[in-house]
Amino acid sequence: GAGRKVLAAVNGPILWNEGGDRTHENHFVVVTGIDTGAGVVHLNDSGVDYGRDEVVPFAVFEASWATSSHYAVIAK
């Protein structure tokens, strides 16, 4: 809400619904918005071709982000 960039440490295989290690963070994404009405998180994600304004369900994002103990960096 303050217009700052938020980088979140996530688990890529959970976020992309792919196989692989789902136990720890291994990737960063930029959180560009949260739509509480639709229950989705908007991301810029360099890990996939469709990553610009990638939209994922909040539950998927939460599971992926939880692997990093909800680590995030907030930049000006």
Side-chain angles (χ1 to χ4, degrees):
R4 296 183 179 180
K5 304 296 183 199
V6 177
L7 293 102
V10 298
N11 178 277
I14 293 173
L15 198 63
W16 309 317
N17 195 28
E18 294 180 351
D21 181 359
R22 293 173 167 242
T23 61
H24 66 279
E25 78 283 350
N26 58 9
H27 185 60
F28 276 91
V29 295
V30 178
V31 178
T32 58
I34 299 172
D35 184 338
T36 56
V40 297
V41 179
H42 293 262
L43 309 171
N44 280 342
D45 181 353
S46 65
V48 290
D49 292 337
Y50 53 86
R52 184 180 177 126
D53 196 28
E54 178 182 6
V55 179
V56 298
F58 187 79
V60 172
F61 177 78
E62 170 58 27
S64 180
W65 190 31
T67 62
S68 72
S69 298
H70 300 105
Y71 182 82
V73 176
I74 301 171
K76 288 187 173 186

